[in-house]
Amino acid sequence: MGDFVCETLEVNPAGHLSVGGCDCLDLAREFGTPLYVMDEMAVRANCRAFRQAVETCYGAGGKVIYASKALCTKAILSIMHQEGIGVDVVSGGELATALAAGVPADTLMYHGNFKTLAEIRQGLAAGVGRFVVDNRLELDQLSGLCEETGRKADVLFRVKPGIDAHTHDYVLTGQIDSKFGVALENGEALDILRDAWDRPGIRVRGIHCHIGSQIFEVEPFVQTVRVMLGLMDEFRQATGKVLEELNLGGGFGIRYVDEHRPLPPARFMEACAAEIRRFCSERDFPMPFVAIEPGRAMVAAAGITLYTVGSVKTIPGIRTYVAVDGGMFENPRYALYGSPYDAVLAAAPLAERVRPVTIAGKCCESGDLIQEHLPMPGVRPGDIMAVMATGAYNYSMAGNYNRNPRPAMVLCREGRARVIVRRETYENLLERDEIPDDLAP
Ligand SMILES: *Cc1c(COP(=O)(O)O)cnc(C)c1O
């Protein structure tokens, strides 16, 4: 393991933190803070690791698809496409971003538990590669639109395999209580597959699942493979028809803090592939086409956020609050679900951590914290702090609480930093406000 949770971070000859060859103090000076910083080669390395693992296990019978909700910008999606990775979208906005980035529509998968009619229409018109249908209403709407427009839709169904792996432990029951997809145990999944098969315009390709996020073990995936193939076999026995595609979703864990021990992508792929081969030869079932959908694992550890430290408030006997110029408006993950993060000072990233601090944002909420009780070196106002592994679900979850403009994002490579998202301005914040005449100043 390297010195930092993000293994591609380095200390440069000046002793400063550097990303993709760019000195973080220079980045903060040039682009301002808060600033999202992405390491281009780290993103590409993640793409290559997943692609290689899938190719080794399945050859041309497998594909990596990036769950763009983790970080959705034109530049990032363009990198994914260059690396031979497909793209998942969940909304008209993500679809528009992918198309604007030049991602071919036939490499897109349209997910989501509620696609509006307008969104289904947009997906059909664009010619997305797969619709992942969540429920019967959506199936009705999609097949209706196919009939109306004469278009065809290639469809997977979102299935709840009854495995919940949202934590370190996983459980095999209880997942029927989820807003996503159709259930297995009450026959809902089998019913919708039968119903869909003969509908005009609908080509049923297979099934999809996504069992959780930040998973560190192979066992929940292996169990999922077993359950999903069981459904495919059950469908074959009931109808004589064969589903060709198995999409196992994402959820591969990453290292936010030192204790996290993510497995290399190859370990997940090898375990799943072995189970698929075993099942298929035992039941004489044809090998399905296998897709996986990493989101977080592709981008999280390739990103950091730079902040300028404001006040440092020590409450004797209680704790020390270190205020930074960001907060829940640009990283809501600690406020939402207590996500762990590590942080260092950009000017002295290896300095001894002498006392625990709580990193607080600038929003008007006591819960607006980035991290609590994190051991840090002495921190002073004006220091540049780097919070690590913020590449996923930060920018994509950002908002404008307290009318804070969202940060810029730069992409660093070989000492060069390029802006891939411009910093929001006050003008941007105001440009959609309308003021009726009688209220005008
Ligand atoms: C969120 C999501 C993913 C990606 O999850 P990560 O934990 O970021 O890998 C993949 N597929 C679907 C359907 C999802 O909803």
Side-chain angles (χ1 to χ4, degrees):
M1 294 287 171
D3 289 311
F4 306 110
V5 290
C6 298
E7 290 179 31
T8 58
L9 289 176
E10 289 174 343
V11 181
N12 66 14
H16 303 161
L17 187 68
S18 96
V19 181
C22 298
D23 186 308
C24 288
L25 293 182
D26 292 342
L27 292 174
R29 207 172 300 125
E30 183 175 353
F31 300 102
T33 58
L35 181 69
Y36 298 120
V37 183
M38 295 299 298
D39 180 338
E40 179 174 343
M41 292 319 286
V43 174
R44 290 185 186 276
N46 294 334
C47 293
R48 288 164 198 178
F50 274 101
R51 248 194 83 175
Q52 197 170 46
V54 164
E55 272 165 20
T56 303
C57 289
Y58 308 106
K63 185 159 175 74
V64 182
I65 299 152
Y66 169 59
S68 74
K69 69 175 195 250
L71 176 59
C72 190
T73 80
K74 289 196 282 186
I76 295 294
L77 298 192
S78 170
I79 291 175
M80 296 298 164
H81 177 54
Q82 281 184 358
E83 293 292 335
I85 308 266
V87 173
D88 273 354
V89 298
V90 184
S91 69
E94 288 181 357
L95 174 63
T97 309
L99 296 174
V103 179
D106 64 356
T107 68
L108 298 178
M109 290 233 172
Y110 208 151
H111 283 274
N113 70 304
F114 184 177
K115 304 168 188 75
T116 65
L117 257 181
E119 287 176 324
I120 298 174
R121 212 174 256 130
Q122 287 156 8
L124 262 184
V128 298
R130 294 287 181 273
F131 279 92
V132 182
V133 171
D134 181 90
N135 56 67
R136 196 169 299 257
L137 173 67
E138 186 185 336
L139 175 61
D140 290 343
Q141 292 176 329
L142 180 60
S143 63
L145 283 174
C146 284
E147 280 194 85
E148 192 184 306
T149 60
R151 288 178 184 270
K152 297 222 178 307
D154 292 289
V155 167
L156 307 180
F157 286 92
R158 171 81 183 247
V159 172
K160 295 181 250 197
I163 291 160
D164 186 2
H166 270 284
T167 60
H168 293 258
D169 280 327
Y170 72 99
V171 289
L172 282 168
T173 55
Q175 259 304 81
I176 197 166
D177 182 9
S178 160
K179 73 168 184 170
F180 295 106
V182 289
L184 263 182
E185 48 269 66
N186 56 11
E188 209 182 353
L190 209 53
D191 282 351
I192 202 168
L193 286 166
R194 280 174 191 270
D195 175 358
W197 194 277
D198 294 317
R199 292 204 191 199
I202 300 289
R203 288 189 291 238
V204 181
R205 296 292 189 183
I207 51 178
H208 166 269
C209 61
H210 172 69
I211 57 170
S213 214
Q214 191 60 356
I215 301 168
F216 291 109
E217 305 161 296
V218 298
E219 193 46 34
F221 283 101
V222 171
Q223 190 79 43
T224 300
V225 162
R226 225 172 274 149
V227 170
M228 296 292 277
L229 286 171
L231 173 63
M232 291 168 94
D233 194 29
E234 202 183 335
F235 183 69
R236 180 179 64 166
Q237 284 172 29
T239 65
K241 289 157 184 153
V242 174
L243 302 169
E244 301 150 16
E245 285 181 30
L246 175 58
N247 183 320
L248 294 170
F252 311 102
I254 73 110
R255 191 170 179 220
Y256 283 106
V257 289
D258 206 41
E259 309 85 90
H260 289 160
R261 290 286 178 268
L263 295 171
R267 286 284 304 285
F268 289 106
M269 295 322 118
E270 283 158 11
C272 290
E275 184 61 24
I276 294 171
R277 278 193 293 271
R278 197 190 59 74
F279 187 102
C280 290
S281 79
E282 248 177 55
R283 310 267 183 112
D284 194 24
F285 198 89
M287 269 297 279
F289 184 90
V290 178
I292 57 157
E293 303 175 321
R296 184 191 314 277
M298 299 281 261
V299 289
I304 65 170
T305 306
L306 297 178
Y307 298 105
T308 301
V309 172
S311 72
V312 177
K313 251 180 227 178
T314 296
I315 308 172
I318 312 278
R319 64 164 111 191
T320 297
Y321 283 99
V322 172
V324 295
D325 55 355
M328 64 194 291
F329 70 92
E330 49 76 36
N331 180 2
R333 294 189 68 255
Y334 187 77
L336 264 180
Y337 28 66
S339 313
Y341 279 107
D342 194 12
V344 297
L345 294 180
L350 298 176
E352 195 191 345
R353 295 169 183 259
V354 294
R355 63 168 178 180
V357 303
T358 289
I359 304 170
K362 67 196 287 297
C363 297
C364 296
E365 290 283 334
S366 298
D368 172 30
L369 306 174
I370 299 288
Q371 200 56 215
E372 288 182 274
H373 314 302
L374 179 69
M376 290 283 291
V379 183
R380 285 172 322 221
D383 284 349
I384 301 298
M385 183 187 285
V387 173
M388 294 187 278
T390 57
Y393 304 112
N394 275 227
Y395 171 72
S396 60
M397 287 184 163
N400 292 121
Y401 183 43
N402 289 147
R403 287 273 192 179
N404 282 300
R406 276 171 285 202
M409 187 180 300
V410 295
L411 185 66
C412 296
R413 173 179 176 168
E414 290 157 7
R416 212 168 134 225
R418 293 177 293 168
V419 174
I420 58 170
V421 179
R422 289 194 308 274
R423 186 175 300 283
E424 246 174 358
T425 62
Y426 296 138
E427 246 166 43
N428 295 149
L429 292 174
L430 293 170
E431 68 195 355
R432 282 169 306 109
D433 278 18
E434 298 287 350
I435 189 146
D437 285 345
D438 59 321
L439 299 176

